[in-house]
Amino acid sequence: MHFSPTIGRSIIACLAPFLVEYLSWFGLLAQGAESVREIRFSQDILPILSDKCFQCHGPDAQARKGDLRLDQESAAKGQASSGLAIIDPEKSNTSELLVRIHSQDVDEVMPPPELGRPLSQEEKERLETWIQEGAAWGRHWSLEPIEAPVPPNQDLHPVDAFVELKLAEKGLKPQPEASRSTLIRRLALDLTGLPPTPSEMDAMLKDDASSWWEKAIDRFLASPAYGERMAW
């Protein structure tokens, strides 16, 4: 099974949205970019709780403080000793978790200063946004069932469909499809490490079959140069 020639440009175009995602994660884009992205428990919230909270409020009963657990949804959404709900999406501003992480009192702020793991402003904002959005719970991503996503555009190759969707979310457009000669040159360099010979290029440019791309791939895979490249 071989991919269509559009996959080549898709892979390159794919870098653009991931770069935007990477930059927004570290706050290098315009302020507020993070808030646009959906908060996901397993990727955005669980790592914070695990790194900054579970040492004192996790599964270890011997190390647990205040009989408070933040590793279980039922406990985390229960009531704190103050009488306030620990995590309350309906009254997010009074959630004990948010009150504590924003506190300026060294005896009240969480995580405690002596732990040496203060929350960054970005982490605080992410927790706050998560609670305001309903505090949807979940498990570690490795424990979640695998689901096959449905391509958003059935007329495109699934890879192209998801890439174009991500580009659209970022307000970007894919580059025009490369010319056949450019695709052939990229393919040859990728599989053999060598540019196509003039005769190879001429033959593939003149191939009018709808399967010309698959035939080009097979041609370079059958080349001794491919085996030599893979043996490096």
Side-chain angles (χ1 to χ4, degrees), residues 1-189:
M1 176 180 178
H2 302 304
F3 293 109
S4 68
T6 56
I7 300 304
R9 69 175 175 82
S10 294
I11 293 174
I12 297 174
C14 186
L15 295 176
F18 290 152
L19 178 59
V20 173
E21 191 80 12
Y22 177 85
L23 293 176
S24 66
W25 182 267
F26 287 96
L28 298 180
L29 290 182
Q31 186 175 8
E34 174 70 16
S35 62
V36 175
R37 188 171 63 83
E38 178 185 357
I39 299 294
R40 293 159 292 189
F41 180 82
S42 63
Q43 293 178 270
D44 301 310
I45 303 303
L46 184 57
I48 299 175
L49 297 179
S50 177
D51 185 50
K52 306 295 177 69
C53 306
F54 284 1
Q55 182 172 334
C56 299
H57 304 295
D60 188 347
Q62 299 299 320
R64 194 177 305 140
K65 304 291 180 62
D67 196 29
L68 170 62
R69 297 189 66 165
L70 293 176
D71 62 313
Q72 295 181 341
E73 181 178 13
S74 58
K77 293 184 178 180
Q79 193 175 64
S81 57
S82 64
L84 297 174
I86 301 168
I87 296 176
D88 186 354
E90 296 183 0
K91 299 179 181 179
S92 59
N93 291 335
T94 60
S95 292
E96 182 73 9
L97 179 65
L98 295 185
V99 171
R100 289 301 190 97
I101 67 174
H102 288 300
S103 176
Q104 300 300 313
D105 188 333
V106 294
D107 294 324
E108 296 290 333
V109 66
M110 291 293 168
E114 59 268 22
L115 189 63
R117 295 184 179 181
L119 289 169
S120 67
Q121 184 60 35
E122 180 185 349
E123 289 173 328
K124 293 178 182 179
E125 292 175 358
R126 205 178 307 159
L127 287 168
E128 188 168 358
T129 300
W130 170 63
I131 294 177
Q132 291 172 346
E133 291 180 350
W137 207 264
R139 299 181 295 176
H140 189 274
W141 63 265
S142 64
L143 301 176
E144 297 290 351
I146 298 176
E147 298 181 1
V150 178
N153 188 337
Q154 301 296 325
D155 295 330
L156 297 174
H157 186 283
V159 174
D160 288 321
F162 285 111
V163 168
E164 291 201 359
L165 175 63
K166 181 61 68 173
L167 288 173
E169 290 176 357
K170 302 299 181 181
L172 302 174
K173 294 182 179 180
Q175 291 293 321
E177 183 175 328
S179 65
R180 181 182 290 203
S181 60
T182 298
L183 290 172
I184 293 171
R185 180 177 175 81
R186 290 175 181 171
L187 179 64
L189 290 171

